[in-house]
Amino acid sequence: MDAMTSLGFTPAVGDTDLTPRQRELLALANELGRTRFAPRAAQWDETATFPFANYEDLRAAGLLALCVPRDQGGGGADYATYMMAAAEIGRFCGATALTWNMHISSTLWTGVLADGIPMTEDERAEHTRRRQRHFARVVDDGAIYAQPFSEGSAAAAGRAPFGTTARKVDGGWIVNGRKIFASLSGAADYYGILCTEDKPGSRPDPRDTLYLAVPASSDGFAISGDWNPLGMRGTVSRNLTFTEVFVPDDEQLMPRGVYHRGAQTWPAMFFTLAPTYLGLANAAYDFTVQYLRGEVPGEPPVRRRMYPTKQIAVAQMRIQLETLRSLFLRAIREARPNPSKDERMRLYAAQYTVMEGANDIARLAIRTCGGQGMMKHLPLERIYRDSRCGSLMLPWTAELVLDRMGREALYEPGERDEA
Ligand SMILES: Cc1cc2nc3c(=O)[nH]c(=O)nc-3n(C[C@H](O)[C@H](O)[C@H](O)COP(=O)(O)OP(=O)(O)OC[C@H]3O[C@@H](n4cnc5c(N)ncnc54)[C@H](O)[C@@H]3O)c2cc1C
């Protein structure tokens, strides 16, 4: 076994410097993950149902309000601290970590991230007032937020305006449109959607993106479609439709025009899906070591560790895991508004490496453990399927990250080739 850190276990982010608050949170995430989430993970996967019981535990532990500022009654965790805790949860249940990310992002983006987005005084005052309502729902009522952006178009890739629209009316907005892959569908109390302001006489423009919380109880809101995917089955990411849905003004999660500014200012906001997959990579590695040592509970104590090819594969997995951890840690520690070009490149590199690497480590784990290791009663085949979905996540799919890195490496802002 690995040498233990003073935490009593090696966290998914590795044996690294941690603040006392981070240590406390990682210990909590590990305890919940090991004793509650891991034993339940197969059940959500098999039935493709939402992990409600895990959300009860997250709520009771104060983890639904982790990123709500302390002076609003929340946990006050910063970006890096959240990212570390999410990786620890991903180690035990991918679907719980991924959906928790959608919920937490709704408080993180409107909280510490919004603090770093330029706003006018009026915008700041409006935002401060509105986010208090939304934080109070999470802190006092244990409300759950989803984050459905995807529409199956170029919008979630950041290349077109969202097709879902919001028309201004007295006291609020009328929303029309459709979202796909809405994780937490049927479980969330609010759906934090991105949509385009429908301005009479002007063409749809991504600068007019609105970020609105649509209450699940709204008239004209509906959930549809099957959910029977390869992996991350517990996320229950079905389709949403909005037909003339009235959303009150105070449900704006950011003032008009601020989301677009935020996306430009804070690229690290799109990196929050990665910790789930670092956790999955760690889980594949942990399982392989345990399995080859003949120490998986309930399995025959057959050792396979003496074969050189298996030792080499474990070494390769560990090298990859350390690469993932290093890039991940550096990216979360230097995340800030308006990063330098090198910082942005490292962020992309970290996203690509974690999302592709997690599935590669799981692939090696399956090959190395062999046929008996991929049986359904063991977690490895689920980890393999869950980890496959990471590099498909917009806006930073593996393809789009390569695209951005290549372009931004070769072109400075404003540079063009002669026609
Ligand atoms: C388990 C799971 C949970 C999810 N949960 C959520 C969620 O909670 N909220 C949410 O918003 N989304 C969620 N998603 C959706 C995810 O982020 C992607 O939007 C989705 O996987 C894209 O599927 P697609 O078939 O539309 O992809 P694609 O067809 O690959 O992408 C959609 C469009 O993006 C553009 N595009 C894609 N790749 C490129 C490229 N290389 N170059 C140029 N343009 C490109 C194209 O216009 C394309 O038509 C989830 C996905 C999964 C698998």
Side-chain angles (χ1 to χ4, degrees):
M1 275 279 143
D2 282 330
M4 296 291 185
T5 62
S6 54
L7 271 169
F9 65 93
T10 302
V13 288
D15 177 15
T16 182
D17 285 343
L18 299 168
T19 64
R21 172 83 173 121
Q22 287 166 350
R23 294 166 53 78
E24 182 196 317
L25 265 171
L26 290 183
L28 174 64
N30 183 274
E31 167 77 15
L32 280 177
R34 221 171 5 88
T35 61
R36 314 275 180 95
F37 303 167
R40 295 173 187 149
Q43 159 193 348
W44 321 122
D45 176 63
E46 193 182 326
T47 54
T49 52
F50 187 76
F52 281 107
N54 295 355
Y55 270 69
E56 285 307 318
D57 291 332
L58 290 170
R59 191 178 282 118
L63 291 176
L64 291 185
L66 181 66
C67 293
V68 171
R70 277 217 189 270
D71 61 5
Q72 316 266 314
D78 63 14
Y79 177 88
T81 303
Y82 159 65
M83 296 290 274
M84 290 178 180
E88 199 56 30
I89 290 182
R91 195 171 173 181
F92 301 101
C93 178
T96 299
L98 195 64
T99 51
W100 188 51
N101 170 71
M102 312 307 181
H103 166 80
I104 287 287
S105 290
S106 314
T107 56
L108 192 64
W109 293 17
T110 51
V112 282
L113 267 62
D115 292 345
I117 303 174
M119 291 190 210
T120 64
E121 248 176 63
D122 285 352
E123 284 170 344
R124 185 72 65 194
E126 176 194 303
H127 183 61
T128 304
R129 186 173 59 76
R130 286 187 174 146
R131 76 180 180 182
Q132 274 172 7
R133 288 166 50 90
H134 138 80
F135 289 154
R137 285 172 183 157
V138 176
V139 173
D140 301 335
D141 313 335
I144 299 176
Y145 279 66
Q147 206 185 30
F149 297 172
S150 299
E151 297 182 345
S153 74
R159 301 192 169 190
F162 286 94
T164 302
T165 58
R167 192 173 75 245
K168 191 76 195 83
V169 291
D170 247 11
W173 303 88
I174 297 290
V175 175
N176 281 288
R178 177 170 179 272
K179 296 286 177 186
I180 62 170
F181 280 113
S183 291
L184 305 105
S185 59
D189 303 292
Y190 297 90
Y191 293 83
I193 61 162
L194 292 180
C195 53
T196 309
E197 181 172 347
D198 181 2
K199 287 184 170 168
S202 48
R203 291 160 64 91
D205 188 326
R207 280 170 299 192
D208 294 324
T209 302
L210 285 167
Y211 183 21
L212 300 178
V214 179
S217 55
S218 304
D219 287 338
F221 168 76
I223 300 171
S224 62
D226 287 341
W227 179 246
N228 188 13
L230 168 79
M232 288 294 184
R233 293 167 57 81
T235 63
V236 192
S237 311
R238 297 171 66 202
N239 306 328
L240 309 180
T241 47
F242 306 89
T243 313
E244 295 288 296
V245 175
F246 175 74
V247 181
D249 277 329
D250 276 348
E251 298 298 346
Q252 262 176 257
L253 290 169
M254 281 186 189
R256 267 167 146 160
V258 170
Y259 171 80
H260 185 257
R261 233 177 285 158
Q264 314 291 314
T265 312
W266 254 115
M269 73 200 258
F270 299 121
F271 187 56
T272 61
L273 296 158
T276 296
Y277 296 87
L278 176 60
L280 288 167
N282 199 146
Y285 172 82
D286 284 344
F287 178 86
T288 305
V289 171
Q290 220 184 6
Y291 189 81
L292 297 182
R293 289 171 59 89
E295 291 173 349
V296 173
E299 293 301 293
V302 178
R303 286 185 181 155
R304 295 166 167 90
R305 67 180 177 185
M306 61 295 267
Y307 303 116
T309 41
K310 299 205 184 290
Q311 293 170 10
I312 289 168
V314 171
Q316 287 173 325
M317 289 170 69
R318 183 65 186 241
I319 290 167
Q320 281 209 47
L321 182 61
E322 293 300 335
T323 309
L324 265 56
R325 284 173 170 168
S326 300
L327 276 165
F328 180 85
L329 274 174
R330 177 134 187 211
I332 64 171
R333 286 187 165 139
E334 65 188 11
R336 61 182 175 100
N338 299 309
S340 68
K341 179 170 174 174
D342 280 334
E343 286 167 344
R344 213 170 51 242
M345 286 292 194
R346 272 196 296 277
L347 192 55
Y348 295 148
Q351 168 85 2
Y352 182 91
T353 307
V354 171
M355 294 309 208
E356 292 283 79
N359 190 240
D360 206 39
I361 292 179
R363 175 190 65 78
L364 269 170
I366 298 245
R367 190 188 75 187
T368 306
C369 293
Q372 291 181 65
M374 63 160 205
M375 294 297 163
K376 282 266 184 198
H377 69 283
L378 296 172
L380 193 53
E381 63 85 33
R382 185 183 68 251
I383 293 168
Y384 177 75
R385 288 183 288 105
D386 282 354
S387 63
R388 188 63 198 85
C389 305
S391 60
L392 314 179
M393 295 287 184
L394 289 169
W396 285 6
T397 63
E399 287 181 346
L400 284 161
V401 165
L402 289 175
D403 239 33
R404 279 173 177 269
M405 288 189 81
R407 204 171 49 242
E408 292 177 33
L410 296 171
Y411 293 80
E412 293 304 323
E415 273 186 354
R416 286 171 183 280
D417 294 314
E418 300 300 322

